[in-house]
Amino acid sequence: MKPILTASAILLFTLSLPRRADAQAGTFAPTGSASNARTIHTATLLPNGKVLVAGGFNPPSVVPAYASAEIYDPKTGLFSPTGSLITARRAHTATLLANGKVLVTGGRLP
């Protein structure tokens, strides 16, 4: 199984997200690298237009799940680290709350 989100290159579908200046609407464009390849993670669109990418794992890694999280900025195409989950998890849910925070629950724990 190949990871959905690779560390070497991320493709951004620019139809509904704010787009980078060099991308055209409705197309894919190369963008920055994430710190970890991930699958079965969550990606939550935040009110400021950035995306919180949290949890997941990278088969066949010996790490069963990640606790790490990153913020993706579609305007710059860059990922930056942010606070980690208290418990590593994959196949979880992430819900944007009215106060702008993200609630991460459930999933498979290591």
Side-chain angles (χ1 to χ4, degrees), residues 3 19 35 41 43 49 67 73-74 86 91 93 105:
R19 59 187 166 107
S35 64
H41 58 282
D73 185 345
I86 294 172
T93 65
T105 60

Side-chain angles (χ1 to χ4, degrees), residues 19-84:
R19 59 187 166 107
R20 291 182 40 195
D22 59 341
Q24 294 180 8
T27 64
F28 286 93
T31 190
S33 296
S35 64
N36 291 311
R38 299 171 189 264
T39 188
I40 313 178
H41 58 282
T42 55
T44 308
L45 181 61
L46 303 175
N48 63 4
K50 296 180 182 181
V51 179
L52 173 67
V53 178
F57 79 120
N58 180 22
S61 171
V62 295
V63 178
Y66 294 135
S68 65
E70 300 176 83
I71 299 287
Y72 175 71
D73 185 345
K75 290 182 181 177
T76 64
L78 300 176
F79 286 85
S80 57
T82 190
S84 294

Side-chain angles (χ1 to χ4, degrees), residues 63-66 87-90 108-110:
V63 178
Y66 294 135
T87 303
R89 58 189 69 228
R90 57 190 166 119
R108 297 186 70 170
L109 307 178

